[in-house]
Amino acid sequence: MKFDLHVHTRFSKDSDADIDAIIFHAKKNGLDGFAVCDHDVIEGGPFSVQRAAELGSDLVIIPGVEITTSEGHLLVLGIKESIEPGLSPAETIRRARAQDALVILPHPFKITSHGIGYVEGLDVDAVEVLNSRCLTDGPNNKARAAASSL
């Protein structure tokens, strides 16, 4: 199955992406689904699930969030209740686990986008190894190497 696990919608402060357009483009490009991970808000995920159903889409849409921790961003998939931004990565992960959510470390070495800057010691389920917004290959290559070593 093919999924994009890091999608921002118009609910995010850094996106004006229309949800219908995201659904259309995901299907057109052969995805089986995507995770809505707006910055520090969870409303986009449930709204996208509802909108996909209204459109008769068979895409799997995972409600998520990109939470700003005290050290950088974390993606939380399957979230049901908001987790406030600004907590430590460890506390954010603890609260995500209390919701049986999955945790992904996005763009860990892309410091200009609030990458945490390290991988070791974090109880994450996955590490994002390809972020299209990286201007050079360095951050993605470093993330790939760190994920492989773990």
Side-chain angles (χ1 to χ4, degrees):
M1 297 185 86
K2 294 181 186 178
F3 280 78
D4 185 338
L5 298 178
H6 190 168
V7 174
H8 299 297
T9 73
R10 62 180 174 80
F11 285 86
S12 194
K13 63 187 173 192
D14 66 341
S15 175
D16 62 359
D18 177 71
I19 293 165
D20 287 9
I22 294 169
I23 293 167
F24 171 78
H25 287 289
K27 190 66 173 176
K28 178 182 170 190
N29 288 295
L31 293 180
D32 296 297
F34 56 90
V36 174
C37 295
D38 292 319
H39 285 279
D40 300 318
V41 296
I42 65 170
E43 290 79 11
F47 185 86
S48 297
V49 169
Q50 174 187 334
R51 189 65 190 132
E54 291 169 357
L55 294 171
S57 175
D58 63 348
L59 291 172
V60 176
I61 300 176
I62 303 166
V65 64
E66 184 166 5
I67 299 174
T68 305
T69 75
S70 61
E71 296 181 39
H73 291 161
L74 288 172
L75 299 179
V76 177
L77 305 184
I79 192 165
K80 299 163 194 75
E81 297 178 15
S82 293
I83 298 171
E84 65 266 26
L87 301 172
S88 70
E91 179 61 17
T92 301
I93 292 168
R94 187 189 72 71
R95 292 184 185 198
R97 297 287 184 223
Q99 296 186 43
D100 294 321
L102 297 175
V103 180
I104 299 173
L105 185 59
H107 49 73
F109 302 107
K110 187 177 180 217
I111 306 306
T112 59
S113 290
H114 306 285
I116 286 183
Y118 64 95
V119 176
E120 297 81 13
L122 292 175
D123 178 27
V124 297
D125 299 295
V127 176
E128 180 182 70
V129 298
L130 178 60
N131 184 285
S132 66
R133 305 285 283 196
C134 290
L135 299 177
T136 66
D137 291 337
N140 285 332
N141 289 340
K142 193 171 180 181
R144 191 174 293 108
S148 293
S149 73
L150 296 174

